[in-house]
Amino acid sequence: KVPYVVGSKSPTAVAINCASKAGEWIKSRLGLVKELDTKLSAQDLVTDVDKGAELMIRKLILTHFPDHDILGEEDVAPGAAAAVKALSEVRDSEYLWIVDPIDGTTNFVHGFPYFCVSIALAYKGEVIVGVIYDPIRDELFVAEKGKGAYIHGKKSEVSNDGSLSDSILAIGFNPDRDFALPVNMKGITALSGEVRSLRAVGSAALHLAYVATGRVSGYYEVGLNSWDVAAGVLLVTESGGVVSDTAGNPYHLGVRNLVATNGKIHAELLETLSAADATGL
Ligand code: 2AM
Ligand code: CA
Ligand code: CA
Ligand code: CA
């Protein structure tokens, strides 16, 4: 049982406050970015808006919960190895906030209107709060462990599609050319022959929010980080869906190769990936 968190505000209220404040500011900077930095490659972008939004969120969290730990993307060196190491240093924390200030930075930079703020709170490694905010559509997705998931106060539920042939799936083009991109392309090729259609908007967190709300029936991508998915995973499970790694093992914060569905197509999706050798495992 999760103990009551001491503080003047509930963690969920703080997460919502952080996501909406940061989201509004990010939206106000759209089209105004002058300095563009790259991390590992020309595909791996970061801006001062990513860094500023993360700082804003970090300060607000620590105002309410000064002894909680925070893992934020822009505080970690680029690349998978650094991300794995950074998570390993905090994943046993009692309370750990996991923050992606902008999920979909490439979209933000190019003015393609799909990006969001993703904030999760984990208690001893288990996600108990997940908040995703899309400032362009003013869509707020909120999940609390055991209490369901909501989009602007309306209950969120996964779709009813019973097979891949009835389903739209979300997929991603993770820019890591060495590992993730070739694996994802194998999976995408295999799935394209089975599903009704595929969609990719370039934000892992929004894809998970869309699985949660039934807009797509599943999402598959390898090479993800904890901050891309932690909030979205709780949204999916609290909306009646299922999340696992690409071999079907239960989700935990270290899972980088992810399958999230409405539950009904989960086994068929896992089988398709396995047959195509596209699990990345
Ligand atoms: P970001 O915008 O926070 O970087 C799109 O497939 C997803 O991949 C987005 O969630 C995006 O998150 C993430 N992404 C972008 N560059 C990445 C990289 N170099 N390695 C892993 N994930 C990346
Ligand atoms: Ca990034
Ligand atoms: Ca991200
Ligand atoms: Ca990001």
Side-chain angles (χ1 to χ4, degrees), residues 44 73 100 102-105 173-175 202 204 221 223 228:
D44 195 355
E73 177 182 9
D100 192 337
I102 305 179
D103 190 52
T105 296
F173 302 100
N174 182 307
E221 187 164 357
D228 300 316

Side-chain angles (χ1 to χ4, degrees), residues 113-117 132-141 206 210 215:
Y114 287 86
F115 48 83
C116 63
V117 182
I132 291 174
Y133 181 58
D134 166 356
I136 297 294
R137 285 163 203 76
D138 186 29
E139 288 191 320
L140 178 70
F141 306 87
L206 281 182
Y210 292 180
R215 296 172 185 180

Side-chain angles (χ1 to χ4, degrees), residues 66-202:
D67 53 357
H68 287 191
D69 287 324
I70 302 174
L71 175 66
E73 177 182 9
E74 305 312 341
D75 207 33
V76 175
V84 169
K85 182 164 177 285
L87 176 64
S88 74
E89 284 162 3
V90 287
R91 72 182 284 177
D92 294 329
S93 301
E94 190 173 30
Y95 287 100
L96 174 65
W97 294 79
I98 303 169
V99 176
D100 192 337
I102 305 179
D103 190 52
T105 296
T106 307
N107 290 343
F108 172 71
V109 166
H110 287 261
F112 187 81
Y114 287 86
F115 48 83
C116 63
V117 182
S118 174
I119 301 176
L121 173 63
Y123 172 72
K124 295 186 176 171
E126 189 188 10
V127 182
I128 57 170
V129 176
V131 171
I132 291 174
Y133 181 58
D134 166 356
I136 297 294
R137 285 163 203 76
D138 186 29
E139 288 191 320
L140 178 70
F141 306 87
V142 178
E144 290 180 296
K145 180 84 192 165
K147 293 187 187 164
Y150 294 85
I151 169 168
H152 276 296
K154 187 169 169 280
K155 189 115 184 53
S156 153
E157 279 174 34
V158 295
S159 75
N160 276 318
D161 298 333
S163 70
L164 290 183
S165 60
D166 298 328
S167 297
I168 297 182
L169 291 192
I171 45 98
F173 302 100
N174 182 307
D176 166 17
R177 262 87 167 134
D178 296 328
F179 163 69
L181 188 63
V183 176
N184 283 317
M185 293 313 290
K186 263 199 284 187
I188 290 165
T189 301
L191 290 167
S192 67
E194 306 293 328
V195 299
R196 180 165 289 161
S197 200
L198 296 171
R199 295 287 182 272
V201 302

Side-chain angles (χ1 to χ4, degrees), residues 217-228:
S217 295
Y219 168 50
Y220 151 72
E221 187 164 357
V222 309
L224 298 167
N225 289 307
S226 57
W227 46 76
D228 300 316

